[in-house]
Amino acid sequence: MNMTIKSYIGVDIGSATAKVMGIDEEGNIIGKPVYIRHDEHPSQVDALKYAFQTYLQSDDIEVAGVGLTGSGRELNSKIIGGDLTRTEIFAHSIGIKHLVDHGFVPSVDKVGSIIEIGGQDAKVIIFDENGFPTFFNMNTICSAGTGEFLKQLADDAGIPLRDFGPIALQANRASRIDATCTVFSKRDFRHLTQKGVPLSDRLAGVCMAMANNYLLNVVKDYTLHQPIFFQGGVAFNSGVKWAFENRLKTKVIVPPYHDVVGALGMAVIVRDHFLGLETMATSYKDDFFERVYESQIRFCHGCQNACELTQPLEKKEENIVILDTLGGRCEGSRQPKNVKDTPQSLSNVHIPVLREARTTPGLSIFASRSRSSMGRYFAGIDGGSRGTKYALLKSLGDRVEIMASGSVDTSGDALGAILKALEKIASVLPEGAELSGIGTTGSAGELARDIITRRTSHTADVKSTEIIAHYAWASYMVPEVGVIMDIGGNDAKIIVVKENGLDFAMNDKCAAGSGSFIESVSRRFEVPIDQFADVALHSTEPARIAGRCAVFGESDMIHKSRMGFPTHDLFMGLAYSICRTYLSDIGKGKVLRIPIVAQGGTFLNKAIQEAFRKTLQLSEEEFIIFEDNRLVLGAGALGAALISKGTFEQGHDSHFKGFESILSSTYVTVTTTCFHHECPRICHDVVALLENGQPIAGYKSIDCDFGMFDGLITEDRDRQKVNQWLQGVR
């Protein structure tokens, strides 16, 4: 008969994961450590139950004591019956010292520094010569140095997180990516995607950006003492380890059990606690797994902060016991008189809306026609960071017939997506018909243009800005349009039609008001994106979600979810958050004139539609979202095709290479540094687009005096120079 083994158990429950590990009185590791993500379970309590039970079942274990650390330590200590709690700094310090002292790290007899990066925070601990922590610091505000940042970019790139590091290590050259914040890093990552930079180079650049951000904002001016240990879930990423070693010019040690060191530290701490006592009765609740826990939402009326509160509850037969009141920013929320069932009233967002029609026609983007386009076909490509949209129109004179409109996933490969879009267009073009023009727009519009055409001017193959393309389609569909609102996957724009032209604003630096925010949240809550609105529209009390930054907003939702907010209230709160962010940032200072036309894939979400209509108090006739989804999602591509049609009618012919020529060719990009012998400058991260091994375009050189890397190469002498550059790269 097997005898039970007494185990002192440490629990590290953070913002994204739950870790459980145990030791016996001698410090030997008992059972199998457990590391799981919260998003694999309905709630944090369910995750804790699963992790704890999985650990107990890994051996015949008897609970001798339980200690908790991490951001969820206080609440979960009440639920599980924890004996004590400690900060993560203390737990990680004790945990790594235990590993070193017990020989788990060969040839190392001391701890110099700890780099610890988890799901949503990062910390550093520096030890003195005597083995005592002398400096520690945490960064819980910016996610650019956390695992959440890596997860979001892995999702953007369409790869499993486990493949991130191995792919990054295949890089020929780490791309330069802004490391100051997640928003800027993601912006650069997507920009490089649109320029065709290899995925491995981009991922290596992200790893370097993360290391730079950590050293700048967490370590700051302090010197890391050796040996340096790398702990936390991010230490699984071999690319980040490489980046730290590259920056620090020294070896970085990833110790065994690096992902559960905090839990190990708590196991050691709770063991030492009980060994110093005469009695050893643990507070652990043996019936923890059978107990029923719920939560309820309450609202603080103590001050103008108007905090939303959650009260974790334990149900005992007919009685309900309130375990705590969480979520308040000040002590006022702890006073029962301030805790109410209903929220403080919210003031509506006041945006000036004009219901008077314009006194003059809208801006005309076409000159008078010099020839007819009747019966001809025109295509459009909108190269977006999330999706590459395409369209095919047949001219009926003043009107057009939509032959096709759709989208292919960019999936981190702008070149491949453009070619797939061309295949889609070719497949629906009637047999024997030819294109009389093809327009491009979007963040990959230049790349698309340089692939499809031989000329950049005096051609019906026009590259237009997103502003003009979206206005072209909206004004074609609704000639009296007053405002065009567009929200895509990673950017958003507003176009106000005035008597003397267009007033516009864009936001392509933050995802807080874009579709990628919704996608990221949907993935986190394991709800398919096409079911987001169905869930959200069941809400009667939308939560107030921080909307000034996608990172903070998602963190706020995760926090509120852990506090017990219903998913439908969180989702509808997110819809209103996106609306408020859009109106306050992009719409700031704008006067909105109806009718408003909404475009972009995000407006296909009915929860977003409702948030905008209710916030602006507009009817369906005043806030127009076309019933045909193709007209909403594909507005940019449709507008680009329409502009190509108009340019043809002005007398310019197409210089489209043809589907057979393009689709049978090979396109790659080369990224390096230009050391052109005639130029005194050195230009880093220039990109050359090669067609069948020959350069046809270049990017990222600013005001190049030699005509290189400024777009499509249109003259032989320029091509010769680029070939010389390619051969002479050092």
Side-chain angles (χ1 to χ4, degrees):
M1 182 176 179
N2 293 332
M3 296 184 60
T4 59
I5 306 172
K6 287 188 176 182
S7 177
Y8 299 93
I9 302 173
V11 176
D12 181 356
I13 189 155
S15 55
T17 58
K19 287 80 70 176
V20 181
M21 191 171 184
I23 61 172
D24 61 15
E25 288 188 3
E26 286 72 39
N28 301 308
I29 293 173
I30 301 298
K32 184 177 180 180
V34 178
Y35 175 102
I36 64 167
R37 291 186 60 86
H38 294 322
D39 53 18
E40 299 170 354
H41 302 273
S43 70
Q44 191 180 80
V45 173
D46 289 305
L48 175 59
K49 284 185 176 182
Y50 178 84
F52 207 86
Q53 191 167 51
T54 300
Y55 170 72
L56 294 180
Q57 292 173 349
S58 69
D59 208 332
D60 195 5
I61 294 173
E62 176 185 345
V63 179
V66 180
L68 292 93
T69 189
S71 57
R73 62 184 180 273
E74 298 298 338
L75 171 60
N76 287 283
S77 179
K78 294 180 174 65
I79 291 174
I80 197 173
D83 296 299
L84 50 85
T85 62
R86 294 292 185 271
T87 68
E88 297 159 83
I89 299 295
F90 193 35
H92 275 273
S93 299
I94 297 298
I96 190 62
K97 285 180 63 64
H98 185 84
L99 289 174
V100 170
D101 293 345
H102 284 72
F104 284 95
V105 186
S107 304
V108 176
D109 59 2
K110 68 175 183 177
V111 181
S113 302
I114 297 173
I115 295 172
E116 197 278 333
I117 305 179
Q120 291 195 6
D121 58 26
K123 59 186 71 69
V124 63
I125 309 171
I126 301 176
F127 295 75
D128 64 14
E129 290 298 322
N130 297 316
F132 293 102
T134 58
F135 172 78
F136 66 86
N137 190 33
M138 295 185 66
N139 181 13
T140 59
I141 296 177
C142 178
S143 73
T146 68
E148 181 61 27
F149 172 45
L150 295 180
K151 186 176 186 301
Q152 289 186 18
L153 284 180
D155 289 341
D156 276 4
I159 62 171
L161 186 58
R162 65 178 178 274
D163 293 343
F164 196 116
I167 294 175
L169 292 180
Q170 298 173 14
N172 293 320
R173 179 192 184 100
S175 300
R176 289 192 177 189
I177 291 180
D178 192 329
T180 54
C181 79
T182 298
V183 173
F184 299 154
S185 297
K186 292 176 77 172
R187 175 202 63 192
D188 284 0
F189 185 85
R190 290 162 184 157
H191 175 73
L192 293 170
T193 299
Q194 298 310 99
K195 295 303 182 186
V197 175
L199 177 61
S200 57
D201 290 4
R202 286 180 275 136
L203 294 182
V206 170
C207 294
M208 287 299 298
M210 169 172 268
N212 290 335
N213 177 277
Y214 178 92
L215 295 173
L216 177 66
N217 295 307
V218 182
V219 178
K220 298 184 177 181
D221 295 328
Y222 288 85
T223 299
L224 293 178
H225 299 161
Q226 297 189 42
I228 300 171
F229 290 87
F230 187 13
Q231 301 173 187
V234 173
F236 281 115
N237 191 307
S238 53
V240 178
K241 176 180 181 291
W242 162 82
F244 274 116
E245 290 181 333
N246 184 284
R247 284 284 284 106
L248 296 170
K249 307 301 181 186
T250 189
K251 181 181 178 181
V252 172
I253 302 170
V254 177
Y257 306 109
H258 65 84
D259 52 329
V260 292
V261 172
L264 172 61
M266 283 311 307
V268 174
I269 293 168
V270 77
R271 180 204 63 173
D272 293 347
H273 168 76
F274 276 117
L275 291 182
L277 299 177
E278 293 183 3
T279 59
M280 299 177 61
T282 177
S283 299
Y284 169 67
K285 299 174 181 178
D286 292 329
D287 58 350
F288 161 59
F289 300 105
E290 288 73 42
R291 291 175 180 247
V292 178
Y293 302 98
E294 292 182 355
S295 63
Q296 65 185 14
I297 305 302
R298 291 296 182 263
F299 307 91
C300 182
H301 288 242
C303 69
Q304 63 183 6
N305 281 333
C307 292
E308 292 172 312
L309 311 173
T310 186
Q311 293 180 328
L313 314 171
E314 182 178 349
K315 298 182 68 174
K316 294 182 178 179
E317 297 179 352
E318 300 300 323
N319 298 321
I320 294 178
V321 178
I322 298 175
L323 299 177
D324 207 345
T325 299
L326 305 170
R329 302 182 192 178
C330 63
E331 290 299 319
S333 64
R334 311 291 295 183
Q335 300 178 17
K337 67 177 183 178
N338 293 331
V339 180
K340 308 292 184 182
D341 295 342
T342 57
Q344 295 186 40
S345 60
L346 287 172
S347 58
N348 292 328
V349 178
H350 296 292
I351 301 292
V353 177
L354 293 181
R355 285 182 162 80
E356 298 82 6
R358 293 194 310 269
T359 57
T360 60
L363 176 69
S364 175
I365 59 175
F366 301 116
S368 58
R369 298 178 185 173
S370 62
R371 61 180 176 179
S372 171
S373 63
M374 177 67 73
R376 292 180 176 270
Y377 294 90
F378 300 90
I381 292 179
D382 180 2
S385 55
R386 308 290 291 183
T388 297
K389 280 74 69 178
Y390 62 88
L392 178 65
L393 303 179
K394 180 180 180 180
S395 174
L396 304 177
D398 290 338
R399 308 299 294 172
V400 295
E401 177 185 354
I402 301 175
M403 305 297 294
S405 180
S407 179
V408 297
D409 290 337
T410 302
S411 300
D413 181 9
L415 278 171
I418 292 168
L419 296 177
K420 288 179 182 177
L422 286 170
E423 289 177 351
K424 294 286 188 181
I425 295 170
S427 69
V428 295
L429 187 67
E431 186 176 354
E434 295 182 353
L435 289 180
S436 294
I438 181 165
T440 66
T441 190
S443 55
E446 185 178 17
L447 185 66
R449 180 204 62 191
D450 296 344
I451 289 174
I452 66 173
T453 189
R454 295 182 175 88
R455 298 183 63 174
T456 60
S457 61
H458 301 94
T459 175
D461 309 320
V462 184
K463 174 190 171 294
S464 58
T465 68
E466 296 169 72
I467 299 299
I468 297 298
H470 279 270
Y471 170 72
W473 187 251
S475 61
Y476 168 78
M477 294 295 297
V478 183
E480 68 277 15
V481 62
V483 172
I484 299 101
M485 293 182 177
D486 171 72
I487 303 180
N490 285 312
D491 59 23
K493 61 186 73 68
I494 187 170
I495 308 166
V496 179
V497 185
K498 295 186 174 182
E499 283 75 5
N500 59 349
L502 302 178
D503 182 18
F504 65 90
M506 294 185 66
N507 180 9
D508 60 358
K509 295 181 180 179
C510 180
S514 71
S516 62
F517 190 7
I518 299 176
E519 291 181 3
S520 179
V521 168
S522 294
R523 283 192 295 266
R524 175 57 66 88
F525 283 80
E526 297 186 342
V527 174
I529 186 65
D530 58 357
Q531 296 178 22
F532 180 97
D534 294 336
V535 174
L537 292 174
H538 282 90
S539 172
T540 56
E541 294 182 353
R544 301 172 190 177
I545 304 301
R548 304 303 297 176
C549 170
V551 178
F552 298 154
E554 187 168 342
S555 297
D556 190 29
M557 291 190 71
I558 295 167
H559 173 64
K560 285 183 167 64
S561 174
R562 303 289 179 250
M563 291 164 58
F565 280 67
T567 300
H568 52 259
D569 288 342
L570 293 173
F571 279 16
M572 198 65 217
L574 172 60
Y576 276 101
S577 170
I578 288 175
C579 176
R580 289 194 307 270
T581 300
Y582 180 94
L583 294 175
S584 61
D585 286 359
I586 303 172
K588 183 179 181 180
K590 302 288 189 293
V591 177
L592 308 183
R593 187 191 300 272
I594 63 168
I596 296 172
V597 173
Q599 300 176 340
T602 301
F603 276 116
L604 295 178
N605 188 306
K606 293 188 181 298
I608 297 294
Q609 296 176 16
E610 178 168 319
F612 271 84
R613 285 192 175 119
K614 286 191 173 182
T615 299
L616 294 171
Q617 301 179 28
L618 298 177
S619 66
E620 292 186 3
E621 292 73 25
E622 294 171 327
F623 192 83
I624 300 172
I625 300 173
F626 302 120
E627 292 185 7
D628 187 341
N629 288 348
R630 299 179 305 168
L631 311 185
V632 181
L633 178 64
L638 289 162
L642 205 61
I643 292 170
S644 177
K645 170 181 175 291
T647 308
F648 174 87
E649 291 169 343
Q650 294 171 29
H652 298 296
D653 293 323
S654 172
H655 290 78
F656 177 50
K657 296 175 184 176
F659 294 109
E660 183 177 353
S661 173
I662 297 172
L663 297 178
S664 63
S665 296
T666 300
Y667 295 89
V668 297
T669 56
V670 177
T671 306
T672 187
T673 300
C674 179
F675 298 94
H676 187 52
H677 65 278
E678 298 179 18
C679 180
R681 295 186 300 178
I682 297 176
C683 293
H684 298 284
D685 295 333
V686 293
V687 178
L689 171 63
L690 307 184
E691 181 183 63
N692 299 323
Q694 294 298 313
I696 62 170
Y699 312 104
K700 296 196 73 172
S701 179
I702 302 174
D703 298 328
C704 179
D705 296 332
F706 300 92
M708 297 188 294
F709 317 114
D710 283 330
L712 190 64
I713 302 169
T714 56
E715 297 183 19
D716 289 340
R717 60 180 180 84
D718 292 332
R719 186 171 288 104
Q720 290 172 3
K721 286 185 177 180
V722 176
N723 271 320
Q724 291 172 3
W725 165 78
L726 288 172
Q727 295 170 5
V729 168
R730 294 203 296 268

PDB file of all heavy atoms in Angstrom, residues 392-412:
ATOM      1  N   LEU A 392     -13.413  43.491 -58.526  1.00  0.00           N
ATOM      2  CA  LEU A 392     -13.467  43.556 -59.986  1.00  0.00           C
ATOM      3  C   LEU A 392     -14.782  44.217 -60.379  1.00  0.00           C
ATOM      4  O   LEU A 392     -15.858  43.768 -59.962  1.00  0.00           O
ATOM      5  CB  LEU A 392     -13.377  42.160 -60.604  1.00  0.00           C
ATOM      6  CG  LEU A 392     -13.469  42.108 -62.138  1.00  0.00           C
ATOM      7  CD1 LEU A 392     -12.258  42.807 -62.758  1.00  0.00           C
ATOM      8  CD2 LEU A 392     -13.579  40.666 -62.632  1.00  0.00           C
ATOM      9  N   LEU A 393     -14.692  45.298 -61.153  1.00  0.00           N
ATOM     10  CA  LEU A 393     -15.862  46.046 -61.595  1.00  0.00           C
ATOM     11  C   LEU A 393     -15.980  45.976 -63.113  1.00  0.00           C
ATOM     12  O   LEU A 393     -14.973  45.963 -63.832  1.00  0.00           O
ATOM     13  CB  LEU A 393     -15.750  47.522 -61.178  1.00  0.00           C
ATOM     14  CG  LEU A 393     -15.575  47.840 -59.693  1.00  0.00           C
ATOM     15  CD1 LEU A 393     -15.465  49.345 -59.492  1.00  0.00           C
ATOM     16  CD2 LEU A 393     -16.716  47.259 -58.876  1.00  0.00           C
ATOM     17  N   LYS A 394     -17.212  45.982 -63.574  1.00  0.00           N
ATOM     18  CA  LYS A 394     -17.496  46.137 -65.002  1.00  0.00           C
ATOM     19  C   LYS A 394     -18.155  47.494 -65.200  1.00  0.00           C
ATOM     20  O   LYS A 394     -19.144  47.819 -64.535  1.00  0.00           O
ATOM     21  CB  LYS A 394     -18.410  45.028 -65.502  1.00  0.00           C
ATOM     22  CG  LYS A 394     -18.743  45.146 -66.991  1.00  0.00           C
ATOM     23  CD  LYS A 394     -19.659  44.026 -67.448  1.00  0.00           C
ATOM     24  CE  LYS A 394     -19.977  44.147 -68.929  1.00  0.00           C
ATOM     25  NZ  LYS A 394     -20.872  43.050 -69.403  1.00  0.00           N
ATOM     26  N   SER A 395     -17.600  48.278 -66.094  1.00  0.00           N
ATOM     27  CA  SER A 395     -18.137  49.620 -66.329  1.00  0.00           C
ATOM     28  C   SER A 395     -19.446  49.554 -67.102  1.00  0.00           C
ATOM     29  O   SER A 395     -19.553  48.866 -68.124  1.00  0.00           O
ATOM     30  CB  SER A 395     -17.121  50.473 -67.093  1.00  0.00           C
ATOM     31  OG  SER A 395     -17.696  51.720 -67.437  1.00  0.00           O
ATOM     32  N   LEU A 396     -20.440  50.266 -66.596  1.00  0.00           N
ATOM     33  CA  LEU A 396     -21.715  50.443 -67.286  1.00  0.00           C
ATOM     34  C   LEU A 396     -21.892  51.901 -67.672  1.00  0.00           C
ATOM     35  O   LEU A 396     -23.014  52.398 -67.795  1.00  0.00           O
ATOM     36  CB  LEU A 396     -22.873  49.988 -66.384  1.00  0.00           C
ATOM     37  CG  LEU A 396     -22.802  48.544 -65.863  1.00  0.00           C
ATOM     38  CD1 LEU A 396     -23.974  48.264 -64.937  1.00  0.00           C
ATOM     39  CD2 LEU A 396     -22.771  47.547 -67.021  1.00  0.00           C
ATOM     40  N   GLY A 397     -20.778  52.587 -67.825  1.00  0.00           N
ATOM     41  CA  GLY A 397     -20.829  54.018 -68.113  1.00  0.00           C
ATOM     42  C   GLY A 397     -20.724  54.801 -66.831  1.00  0.00           C
ATOM     43  O   GLY A 397     -19.668  54.836 -66.190  1.00  0.00           O
ATOM     44  N   ASP A 398     -21.824  55.436 -66.408  1.00  0.00           N
ATOM     45  CA  ASP A 398     -21.823  56.186 -65.152  1.00  0.00           C
ATOM     46  C   ASP A 398     -21.850  55.258 -63.938  1.00  0.00           C
ATOM     47  O   ASP A 398     -21.438  55.651 -62.849  1.00  0.00           O
ATOM     48  CB  ASP A 398     -23.038  57.124 -65.085  1.00  0.00           C
ATOM     49  CG  ASP A 398     -22.929  58.278 -66.070  1.00  0.00           C
ATOM     50  OD1 ASP A 398     -21.794  58.593 -66.470  1.00  0.00           O
ATOM     51  OD2 ASP A 398     -23.975  58.843 -66.445  1.00  0.00           O
ATOM     52  N   ARG A 399     -22.349  54.048 -64.123  1.00  0.00           N
ATOM     53  CA  ARG A 399     -22.458  53.100 -63.024  1.00  0.00           C
ATOM     54  C   ARG A 399     -21.511  51.924 -63.259  1.00  0.00           C
ATOM     55  O   ARG A 399     -20.878  51.811 -64.328  1.00  0.00           O
ATOM     56  CB  ARG A 399     -23.905  52.578 -62.878  1.00  0.00           C
ATOM     57  CG  ARG A 399     -24.962  53.663 -62.793  1.00  0.00           C
ATOM     58  CD  ARG A 399     -24.751  54.567 -61.581  1.00  0.00           C
ATOM     59  NE  ARG A 399     -24.950  53.843 -60.326  1.00  0.00           N
ATOM     60  CZ  ARG A 399     -24.680  54.359 -59.122  1.00  0.00           C
ATOM     61  NH1 ARG A 399     -24.182  55.600 -59.015  1.00  0.00           N
ATOM     62  NH2 ARG A 399     -24.899  53.660 -58.034  1.00  0.00           N
ATOM     63  N   VAL A 400     -21.424  51.052 -62.267  1.00  0.00           N
ATOM     64  CA  VAL A 400     -20.588  49.865 -62.397  1.00  0.00           C
ATOM     65  C   VAL A 400     -21.338  48.655 -61.879  1.00  0.00           C
ATOM     66  O   VAL A 400     -22.258  48.771 -61.065  1.00  0.00           O
ATOM     67  CB  VAL A 400     -19.254  50.006 -61.624  1.00  0.00           C
ATOM     68  CG1 VAL A 400     -18.400  51.107 -62.210  1.00  0.00           C
ATOM     69  CG2 VAL A 400     -19.503  50.216 -60.134  1.00  0.00           C
ATOM     70  N   GLU A 401     -20.944  47.511 -62.353  1.00  0.00           N
ATOM     71  CA  GLU A 401     -21.449  46.235 -61.842  1.00  0.00           C
ATOM     72  C   GLU A 401     -20.310  45.565 -61.075  1.00  0.00           C
ATOM     73  O   GLU A 401     -19.192  45.450 -61.579  1.00  0.00           O
ATOM     74  CB  GLU A 401     -21.904  45.336 -62.987  1.00  0.00           C
ATOM     75  CG  GLU A 401     -22.378  43.972 -62.528  1.00  0.00           C
ATOM     76  CD  GLU A 401     -22.727  43.042 -63.682  1.00  0.00           C
ATOM     77  OE1 GLU A 401     -22.703  43.517 -64.853  1.00  0.00           O
ATOM     78  OE2 GLU A 401     -22.989  41.851 -63.426  1.00  0.00           O
ATOM     79  N   ILE A 402     -20.603  45.134 -59.848  1.00  0.00           N
ATOM     80  CA  ILE A 402     -19.588  44.452 -59.042  1.00  0.00           C
ATOM     81  C   ILE A 402     -19.526  42.996 -59.476  1.00  0.00           C
ATOM     82  O   ILE A 402     -20.454  42.219 -59.243  1.00  0.00           O
ATOM     83  CB  ILE A 402     -19.905  44.551 -57.542  1.00  0.00           C
ATOM     84  CG1 ILE A 402     -19.968  46.011 -57.097  1.00  0.00           C
ATOM     85  CG2 ILE A 402     -18.849  43.801 -56.724  1.00  0.00           C
ATOM     86  CD1 ILE A 402     -20.392  46.192 -55.656  1.00  0.00           C
ATOM     87  N   MET A 403     -18.437  42.640 -60.113  1.00  0.00           N
ATOM     88  CA  MET A 403     -18.241  41.259 -60.549  1.00  0.00           C
ATOM     89  C   MET A 403     -17.703  40.393 -59.410  1.00  0.00           C
ATOM     90  O   MET A 403     -18.002  39.205 -59.330  1.00  0.00           O
ATOM     91  CB  MET A 403     -17.275  41.214 -61.731  1.00  0.00           C
ATOM     92  CG  MET A 403     -17.674  42.090 -62.903  1.00  0.00           C
ATOM     93  SD  MET A 403     -19.246  41.582 -63.627  1.00  0.00           S
ATOM     94  CE  MET A 403     -18.822  39.981 -64.289  1.00  0.00           C
ATOM     95  N   ALA A 404     -16.899  40.989 -58.549  1.00  0.00           N
ATOM     96  CA  ALA A 404     -16.330  40.251 -57.417  1.00  0.00           C
ATOM     97  C   ALA A 404     -15.801  41.243 -56.400  1.00  0.00           C
ATOM     98  O   ALA A 404     -15.348  42.335 -56.744  1.00  0.00           O
ATOM     99  CB  ALA A 404     -15.214  39.317 -57.868  1.00  0.00           C
ATOM    100  N   SER A 405     -15.872  40.860 -55.154  1.00  0.00           N
ATOM    101  CA  SER A 405     -15.267  41.629 -54.063  1.00  0.00           C
ATOM    102  C   SER A 405     -15.061  40.683 -52.899  1.00  0.00           C
ATOM    103  O   SER A 405     -15.990  39.993 -52.480  1.00  0.00           O
ATOM    104  CB  SER A 405     -16.163  42.795 -53.642  1.00  0.00           C
ATOM    105  OG  SER A 405     -15.566  43.527 -52.586  1.00  0.00           O
ATOM    106  N   GLY A 406     -13.840  40.611 -52.410  1.00  0.00           N
ATOM    107  CA  GLY A 406     -13.561  39.694 -51.326  1.00  0.00           C
ATOM    108  C   GLY A 406     -12.260  40.023 -50.633  1.00  0.00           C
ATOM    109  O   GLY A 406     -11.661  41.082 -50.862  1.00  0.00           O
ATOM    110  N   SER A 407     -11.801  39.105 -49.794  1.00  0.00           N
ATOM    111  CA  SER A 407     -10.600  39.345 -49.007  1.00  0.00           C
ATOM    112  C   SER A 407      -9.850  38.046 -48.800  1.00  0.00           C
ATOM    113  O   SER A 407     -10.459  36.977 -48.679  1.00  0.00           O
ATOM    114  CB  SER A 407     -10.968  39.955 -47.653  1.00  0.00           C
ATOM    115  OG  SER A 407      -9.822  40.171 -46.848  1.00  0.00           O
ATOM    116  N   VAL A 408      -8.526  38.136 -48.795  1.00  0.00           N
ATOM    117  CA  VAL A 408      -7.680  37.008 -48.408  1.00  0.00           C
ATOM    118  C   VAL A 408      -6.855  37.442 -47.200  1.00  0.00           C
ATOM    119  O   VAL A 408      -6.498  38.612 -47.065  1.00  0.00           O
ATOM    120  CB  VAL A 408      -6.754  36.566 -49.563  1.00  0.00           C
ATOM    121  CG1 VAL A 408      -7.572  36.066 -50.737  1.00  0.00           C
ATOM    122  CG2 VAL A 408      -5.833  37.688 -49.999  1.00  0.00           C
ATOM    123  N   ASP A 409      -6.576  36.513 -46.316  1.00  0.00           N
ATOM    124  CA  ASP A 409      -5.783  36.840 -45.133  1.00  0.00           C
ATOM    125  C   ASP A 409      -4.363  37.218 -45.530  1.00  0.00           C
ATOM    126  O   ASP A 409      -3.716  36.498 -46.295  1.00  0.00           O
ATOM    127  CB  ASP A 409      -5.739  35.658 -44.169  1.00  0.00           C
ATOM    128  CG  ASP A 409      -7.080  35.407 -43.498  1.00  0.00           C
ATOM    129  OD1 ASP A 409      -7.884  36.352 -43.429  1.00  0.00           O
ATOM    130  OD2 ASP A 409      -7.319  34.268 -43.063  1.00  0.00           O
ATOM    131  N   THR A 410      -3.897  38.340 -44.993  1.00  0.00           N
ATOM    132  CA  THR A 410      -2.513  38.721 -45.255  1.00  0.00           C
ATOM    133  C   THR A 410      -1.555  37.764 -44.543  1.00  0.00           C
ATOM    134  O   THR A 410      -0.520  37.371 -45.089  1.00  0.00           O
ATOM    135  CB  THR A 410      -2.260  40.172 -44.809  1.00  0.00           C
ATOM    136  OG1 THR A 410      -3.167  41.038 -45.496  1.00  0.00           O
ATOM    137  CG2 THR A 410      -0.836  40.589 -45.112  1.00  0.00           C
ATOM    138  N   SER A 411      -1.896  37.400 -43.291  1.00  0.00           N
ATOM    139  CA  SER A 411      -1.146  36.383 -42.538  1.00  0.00           C
ATOM    140  C   SER A 411       0.355  36.640 -42.513  1.00  0.00           C
ATOM    141  O   SER A 411       1.162  35.715 -42.612  1.00  0.00           O
ATOM    142  CB  SER A 411      -1.421  34.984 -43.115  1.00  0.00           C
ATOM    143  OG  SER A 411      -2.788  34.671 -43.030  1.00  0.00           O
ATOM    144  N   GLY A 412       0.749  37.902 -42.409  1.00  0.00           N
ATOM    145  CA  GLY A 412       2.160  38.224 -42.309  1.00  0.00           C
ATOM    146  C   GLY A 412       2.927  38.101 -43.609  1.00  0.00           C
ATOM    147  O   GLY A 412       4.148  38.246 -43.613  1.00  0.00           O
TER     148      GLY A 412
END
